[in-house]
Amino acid sequence: MVAALYACGGGGGSGKAPAPMPTPTPTPTPTPKEVTHLRQAARAVPQLGRRSVTQSTNTDSNNVTTDTAEAVFDYGQMTLTVKRQDGTSFSLDSSTDTLGTSPATPVRSGQNAREWSLRKSYPNAAAQARVHGEAPTNEFPLRAIHAAGNWATNSEAAQAWEASDRKDPLVPLDHIAYLKSLNVNRVGLSVALHYDDSMDSTVERVYSGVEIPTFTDDALRQFIREFRSHGIDVYLTLAFEAHEAEKAERPVRRWQLGDPGHSETGVPPDDPNVFGRISKDFWPWNPNHPDHQRFVAEFFKTLADQAVHFARIAQEEGVKLYSLGTETERLFRTRSGGYFTNDFRRELESMVARVRAVYTGDLTYDMHYTALTAPDFYGPGSNHLWEDLDLDIVGVSAYFPLADSPPSTVMSVESLQATWEKIFKERLIPLAQRNPGRPVVFLEHGAPDIVGAPGSPGTPYLGASVFTDTNGNGLDDGQETQANMYQALLNTMKKYPGVVDGVFWWDNWIASDSKWAAYWATHRGYDIRGKLSEDVVRSTYESWADWLTGGYWMHVSDNLDLVDAGAFVDGPELSGTPALPSLGAATYQGFATGGFAAVYGTDYPDVTAGSHEVGEYEGQLRLTADFEARRISGQVTSISVSGIHTPAGGGSRPFADISVPYEFNLEATSFDTRGFTGATTVASTDPGIGIADSGGSWGGKFSIVPDGDGNPRVVAGTHGEEFTTTGGTKAGFIGAFMGATGR
């Protein structure tokens, strides 16, 4: 792990620990600085109370502090930034400095786990970290955000990447960092499909010359690959974006597609959105039109061709959720009834079958909310769509009005929540009950940050942002309205769990920090970045994100005059206040991992005194918590080490997975809902090696999530040990531990 610290010589490790000296004779050995500083770090951990923050303090020969380094692991990101008092700094980032990532043994049953090895070399030093992370057991509710389609800064990013040598990222890394800070695990991308006018039966991909072009296959694949490389899955949806067809001589809007056209206009006579007159001669969606049968067959065939094309990309690139369409309810009908005298069930079933043949992920359709609020008009064809097509997820574009008209003052969370609860009871709970086993997801939802948004959340708005505060609470009225609307929805989802299993917040563009600051930060719209609603989404997603991560970091200069080290644990279920039982006990099993440094004394006849080792270790953890006595204790056993061995005479060699004759005793200490801190000692498992002195500290927190017996399901924290053997070997260890009751 730390090969970058020394010039590596040839040869690997011996495969076993050196034999101990039968009768060790103490020989004074100067303590190397890496052990000294790890000893200080071992005495300093844990830093409880500040999530994912570790500190390392370097001192001079008079034990005077020379600098303090602080590392922050935040929101589950595999990043590390250390800044010292003297102004110097170093950093590690999994997006640029990854040495490797591999599957790992999870702490909790049913989890997915990975390990990240990070390393970066500097002119006169090297830094590295080992991070163990677990993914949520249940991906629902989705922690989602929608980036919209191929327009604005999304289009700019795609075009710039395609015009370049394609070596730089398409998605700005600071945008990835922003999404990570929100705990996002899904991003929505809309792919544009096109047709010419009301008589055009051919659905096509159009890459240029239109207002919203189709993403090229290369750009779309790159978007997906980059998001997925950072642990963010992509939701892909097809959407008709033929704005040019609205202005054609024979115009048609996407929401009109499939309408049987009972009037001369080719649209329902009571439809308030009629924008132009269309002769019945130019409306082949009418079953009485002489070209109706051919037109419908060709339209759905070419639509299915496009759906299969993008389904293949989705399959090849690992897209988990794919939608066949967006907000075209008159087209996506499987039964006649209501206003509609016909249906397209046969055509839709054929399209689904063709897509299923090439795509194995979850399949859905994004239905506009009006199909739920006007069931008499849309009829059973919309009510039973997901059932009839056997889709996996029920998708809704959920721009439900929360007020009868646009309000002129900020609406409270309470009043907005009352409306959402009514919508849940009247529309969404029945929808979920009609579709058992299919999660209901808001595939689009949002509201612009304007005071009038509750009256019409789905009406686009983009204007300059001018601060207003009519209620005098110091908050911008528009931002407060948007935040209250989002909080009201999330509160309702919490009150009625399992009804809505995720929200894709609309129109949150892909943009670098500089692009966002230059434009979006000065305008009102659906986006949440830098607004009050951002904190609403972040805090909720943090509570939903069931990840757990822990590890260690080290930074060592080549001449060993500067050593920083620390350990951390993080996870949403460690950040709250657990409900501890008053009786009983629980056993927690897991692992401990971290960094170590050692200098040999005379304990080992095959190793020259003064030889150095620096590397990492891993051991098995077992803890017992007595809830009645409020005491916890445990051990780290079966410890093995990997790293670099440097003989006293120079030259280095790597070694891996060597067992060492030590155990860490995590001494009994008291705990409460805030966690615990205590002392550690080291014991020898080899009768030929004695421990002259040892010490250190440990501490941790209990999960706020109970197991099946009502005990906290996880305990995690940091620990450090330093010791000297009777033969003069000196070593320091620092790391993190995680344990679970159900392992």
Side-chain angles (χ1 to χ4, degrees):
M1 180 70 181
V2 292
L5 298 183
Y6 302 96
C8 292
S14 63
K16 61 180 181 179
M21 179 180 289
T23 55
T25 302
T27 300
T29 305
T31 301
K33 290 183 177 180
E34 69 265 38
V35 174
T36 300
H37 295 311
L38 277 180
R39 173 180 295 180
Q40 294 163 353
R43 301 281 188 179
V45 298
Q47 295 271 333
L48 296 178
R50 294 187 65 192
R51 203 182 63 171
S52 293
V53 175
T54 65
Q55 290 184 333
S56 176
T57 300
N58 290 310
T59 59
D60 59 20
S61 58
N62 296 318
N63 206 32
V64 176
T65 299
T66 56
D67 59 68
T68 299
E70 182 177 83
V72 180
F73 289 75
D74 208 5
Y75 297 106
Q77 295 184 77
M78 305 311 163
T79 57
L80 163 68
T81 300
V82 172
K83 297 181 179 180
R84 303 190 193 88
Q85 285 182 330
D86 63 4
T88 59
S89 65
F90 71 90
S91 64
L92 290 170
D93 188 320
S94 61
S95 65
T96 56
D97 307 321
T98 299
L99 173 66
T101 180
S102 60
T105 302
V107 176
R108 298 168 289 178
S109 59
Q111 299 290 118
N112 293 316
R114 295 194 72 80
E115 282 191 347
W116 287 262
S117 301
L118 310 182
R119 177 188 297 163
K120 181 182 286 186
S121 297
Y122 295 86
N124 299 301
Q128 62 251 343
R130 171 79 73 177
V131 179
H132 180 100
E134 288 189 336
T137 52
N138 187 355
E139 63 178 335
F140 294 103
L142 302 180
R143 306 190 306 279
I145 207 163
H146 210 304
N150 193 9
W151 60 86
T153 51
N154 298 349
S155 178
E156 293 175 11
Q159 291 176 13
W161 179 80
E162 291 185 303
S164 70
D165 59 11
R166 303 190 178 192
K167 294 181 179 179
D168 292 331
L170 193 164
V171 182
L173 292 178
D174 47 12
H175 182 74
I176 294 291
Y178 170 68
L179 295 180
K180 287 287 191 177
S181 78
L182 292 176
N183 284 291
V184 163
N185 67 354
R186 291 283 178 102
V187 166
L189 283 174
S190 180
V191 179
L193 299 179
H194 292 267
Y195 53 88
D196 293 336
D197 58 22
S198 69
M199 292 295 289
D200 185 9
S201 59
T202 305
V203 179
E204 298 176 305
R205 305 189 295 275
V206 180
Y207 299 114
S208 63
V210 292
E211 184 177 339
I212 300 177
T214 310
F215 283 120
T216 67
D217 290 357
D218 285 351
L220 183 61
R221 287 179 184 273
Q222 188 68 15
F223 272 121
I224 298 168
R225 290 171 183 174
E226 290 189 20
F227 280 123
R228 293 195 67 229
S229 72
H230 294 285
I232 300 173
D233 290 314
V234 172
Y235 153 59
L236 211 59
T237 184
L238 304 181
F240 290 106
E241 299 288 3
H243 296 284
E244 291 72 22
E246 298 178 4
K247 306 168 187 176
E249 185 176 349
R250 298 173 299 199
V252 58
R253 286 181 173 173
R254 71 179 184 184
W255 52 261
Q256 293 175 293
L257 296 173
D259 194 303
H262 281 194
S263 71
E264 291 289 321
T265 64
V267 293
D270 58 348
D271 196 311
N273 294 310
V274 173
F275 68 97
R277 315 303 291 180
I278 304 173
S279 168
K280 64 180 180 180
D281 294 337
F282 303 133
W283 197 250
W285 291 109
N286 190 319
N288 296 322
H289 191 281
D291 200 30
H292 174 74
Q293 188 171 356
R294 181 208 64 81
F295 180 92
V296 169
E298 186 170 1
F299 188 95
F300 272 100
K301 177 188 179 303
T302 56
L303 175 59
D305 289 344
Q306 302 305 330
V308 169
H309 174 81
F310 289 108
R312 291 185 189 277
I313 292 176
Q315 178 71 21
E316 291 167 4
E317 300 300 339
V319 169
K320 288 187 175 181
L321 179 60
Y322 179 48
S323 175
L324 297 171
T326 305
E327 300 176 1
T328 48
E329 279 56 65
R330 303 173 193 206
L331 193 66
F332 278 75
R333 293 182 289 106
T334 54
R335 304 184 189 188
S336 61
Y339 160 78
F340 299 95
T341 58
N342 65 343
D343 65 74
F344 302 109
R345 180 166 182 167
R346 180 172 59 86
E347 292 84 358
L348 291 168
E349 286 179 336
S350 175
M351 179 168 63
V352 169
R354 289 184 60 190
V355 170
R356 292 276 195 204
V358 300
Y359 176 68
T360 58
D362 288 335
L363 206 57
T364 186
Y365 167 72
D366 184 10
M367 178 179 285
H368 196 265
Y369 79 94
T370 51
L372 301 177
T373 58
D376 293 339
F377 176 77
Y378 285 96
S382 294
N383 280 345
H384 298 278
L385 177 72
W386 296 277
E387 170 192 346
D388 291 346
L389 298 182
D390 193 24
L391 300 180
D392 303 296
I393 288 177
V394 176
V396 180
S397 271
Y399 299 101
F400 295 93
L402 303 181
D404 294 334
S405 61
S408 57
T409 58
V410 176
M411 292 185 66
S412 68
V413 173
E414 291 74 20
S415 61
L416 293 164
Q417 183 174 335
T419 304
W420 267 119
E421 291 193 25
K422 182 178 180 182
I423 293 169
F424 267 58
K425 292 175 183 178
E426 295 180 356
R427 309 297 181 192
L428 298 173
I429 292 176
L431 176 66
Q433 291 173 341
R434 287 197 303 270
N435 293 275
R438 295 183 178 90
V440 176
V441 175
F442 286 178
L443 295 177
E444 282 188 31
H445 175 69
D449 57 324
I450 58 175
V451 172
S456 183
T459 300
Y461 182 90
L462 186 62
S465 179
V466 179
F467 182 85
T468 58
D469 181 21
T470 57
N471 57 12
N473 63 356
L475 304 176
D476 176 80
D477 293 340
Q479 287 194 27
E480 186 178 4
T481 296
Q482 184 189 55
N484 287 354
M485 293 176 71
Y486 288 13
Q487 188 67 67
L489 169 58
L490 294 168
N491 288 352
T492 309
M493 290 171 63
K494 184 176 181 179
K495 185 172 182 178
Y496 300 96
V499 176
V500 175
D501 276 318
V503 180
F504 283 85
W505 309 100
W506 178 247
D507 246 3
N508 285 277
W509 313 95
I510 298 167
S512 64
D513 290 349
S514 59
K515 278 188 177 292
W516 173 80
Y519 184 77
W520 300 118
T522 63
H523 285 71
R524 297 192 184 278
Y526 286 98
D527 59 297
I528 66 173
R529 187 169 182 178
K531 300 176 182 177
L532 298 175
S533 54
E534 178 186 284
D535 290 333
V536 172
V537 172
R538 175 179 287 113
S539 61
T540 298
Y541 281 7
E542 181 180 345
S543 69
W544 290 353
D546 188 24
W547 47 263
L548 179 67
T549 185
Y552 81 96
W553 57 272
M554 293 177 65
H555 174 256
V556 184
S557 61
D558 289 344
N559 59 7
L560 302 179
D561 64 352
L562 183 63
V563 178
D564 302 313
F568 69 95
V569 290
D570 195 6
E573 65 180 270
L574 301 177
S575 63
T577 302
L580 301 177
S582 57
L583 297 174
T587 298
Y588 295 85
Q589 297 185 74
F591 67 89
T593 185
F596 84 97
V599 59
Y600 280 100
T602 58
D603 303 71
Y604 301 93
D606 298 333
V607 179
T608 305
S611 296
H612 294 232
E613 284 186 355
V614 180
E616 61 185 352
Y617 72 92
E618 186 164 327
Q620 296 180 6
L621 173 77
R622 184 179 178 87
L623 298 173
T624 300
D626 185 330
F627 293 106
E628 183 175 3
R630 288 293 194 264
R631 302 279 286 177
I632 187 170
S633 61
Q635 281 186 310
V636 178
T637 60
S638 303
I639 299 171
S640 62
V641 295
S642 302
I644 295 296
H645 177 84
T646 305
S652 298
R653 67 181 184 187
F655 62 91
D657 299 322
I658 303 299
S659 297
V660 295
Y662 312 124
E663 291 180 346
F664 303 149
N665 295 318
L666 311 177
E667 304 291 345
T669 187
S670 59
F671 63 80
D672 57 24
T673 56
R674 295 171 297 178
F676 54 89
T677 60
T680 63
T681 58
V682 178
S684 172
T685 60
D686 188 321
I689 296 178
I691 303 297
D693 67 85
S694 67
S697 61
W698 73 301
K701 292 183 176 181
F702 288 100
S703 167
I704 61 174
V705 180
D707 63 12
D709 296 323
N711 300 316
R713 67 177 182 177
V714 167
V715 62
T718 57
H719 68 110
E721 295 79 20
E722 55 84 18
F723 61 93
T724 302
T725 69
T726 54
T729 297
K730 303 175 188 294
F733 288 72
I734 186 168
F737 64 85
M738 304 177 188
T741 57
R743 193 166 187 260

